Amino acid sequence: MKPSQSPSAQVTEAWRRHRPYLVNLAYQMLGDVGDAEDVAQEAFLRLSRADIDSIDDVRGWLTVVASRLCLDQVRSARARYERPGEIDEVPAPRLDPADRVTLDDEVRAALLEVLRRLSPGERVAFVLHDVFGVPFDDIAETVGRPIGTCRQLARRARAKFTATQPKLTDVASAEHQLVAEKFITACANGDIAGLTAVLDPAVWGVGTVLADPAPPPQINHGPHAVATNLLRYLGPEVTLVSGPAGQPAVLAFADRRLFAAIVLTIRDGLVTKIEALADPLARAGA
């Protein structure tokens, strides 16, 4: 950011550049997009009260603040979960045939089940290092533990996570996370140029709708057609996050409800194929 900008303008620019990343980071730790949005909001509120000109790395500062907020929330939730008589669980779906199990229900329940296998320290260390590539010395400062302990926490979390997600090791997670972040930020800002920049010249996309009867899949070819169609559904009013632990998917939320899952096929740092599964009733709030 330019030093000549006013503090309020610098915060606004930071919001545009870093909020999608911060929501994504918090979501990976908390498993709830509403909580993740609240954490990002609080982190930026604290940034607005800080002396932003004295902060050398705004993104790093926000990462530390958001991670500590997540750590406090996870510790609090774990204490409630482990306290007899106050079990904090995802409510079981009612057995009324009129109820509809949504994409949101399934994904959220699966993610929370995996996250609950991890202690608060394991969860934060694993997400920061394995998903977002934060160095262990920075993680140590965030969680208030020695570097060696943070390495052990991440190692234990990795073992627990891969035990339930065997395909994780097949994914070039660092490459995927980098491309997914660019994809998410471009969509969040309605930036068609930024979006086409991460699409392969031969990219094609296919969208399938969960409906009965289901309409024919929508297929688009080429960066401009694919990007234009994506921004019709994944623009600034939608919250996008990566799949759990940086898996090759992007999840789309509207009004804090998951309405679409987008699988990205990535090669040489570019998206070559996009497969989307959308639940229009979830988008409509049904």
Side-chain angles (χ1 to χ4, degrees), residues 138-170:
D138 292 341
I139 297 173
E141 177 186 351
T142 300
V143 303
R145 303 275 194 95
I147 294 176
T149 301
C150 291
R151 291 182 186 276
Q152 292 176 356
L153 289 170
R155 188 180 304 116
R156 289 203 302 262
R158 193 178 306 121
K160 292 178 183 179
F161 199 94
T162 54
T164 58
Q165 304 286 333
K167 293 183 179 180
L168 182 66
T169 54
D170 297 333

Side-chain angles (χ1 to χ4, degrees), residues 247-268:
Q247 290 188 344
V250 171
L251 306 178
F253 293 83
D255 297 322
R256 302 190 171 188
R257 290 176 61 88
L258 178 68
F259 73 89
I262 304 103
V263 177
L264 306 178
T265 299
I266 296 170
R267 184 177 63 243
D268 298 330

Side-chain angles (χ1 to χ4, degrees), residues 30 32 35 73-92 108-109 112-113 115-116 123:
L30 301 176
D32 183 277
D35 290 344
Q73 187 163 326
V74 174
R75 284 171 174 162
S76 176
R78 189 178 183 88
R80 293 196 307 271
Y81 180 73
E82 293 178 345
R83 189 176 301 143
E86 297 185 18
I87 298 178
D88 179 22
E89 294 182 337
V90 178
R108 183 169 182 268
L112 288 176
E113 177 60 28
L115 288 177
R116 283 195 176 122
R123 191 185 299 195

Side-chain angles (χ1 to χ4, degrees), residues 191-216:
D191 180 5
I192 193 166
L195 184 54
T196 55
V198 299
L199 302 180
D200 187 87
V203 67
W204 65 287
V206 56
T208 303
V209 175
L210 289 173
D212 188 17

Side-chain angles (χ1 to χ4, degrees), residues 3-26:
S4 59
Q5 287 182 312
S6 68
S8 62
Q10 291 181 63
V11 172
T12 299
E13 176 65 9
W15 175 276
R16 186 189 71 80
R17 294 179 59 189
H18 303 309
R19 181 182 180 274
Y21 156 80
L22 217 61
V23 172
N24 192 11
L25 181 143

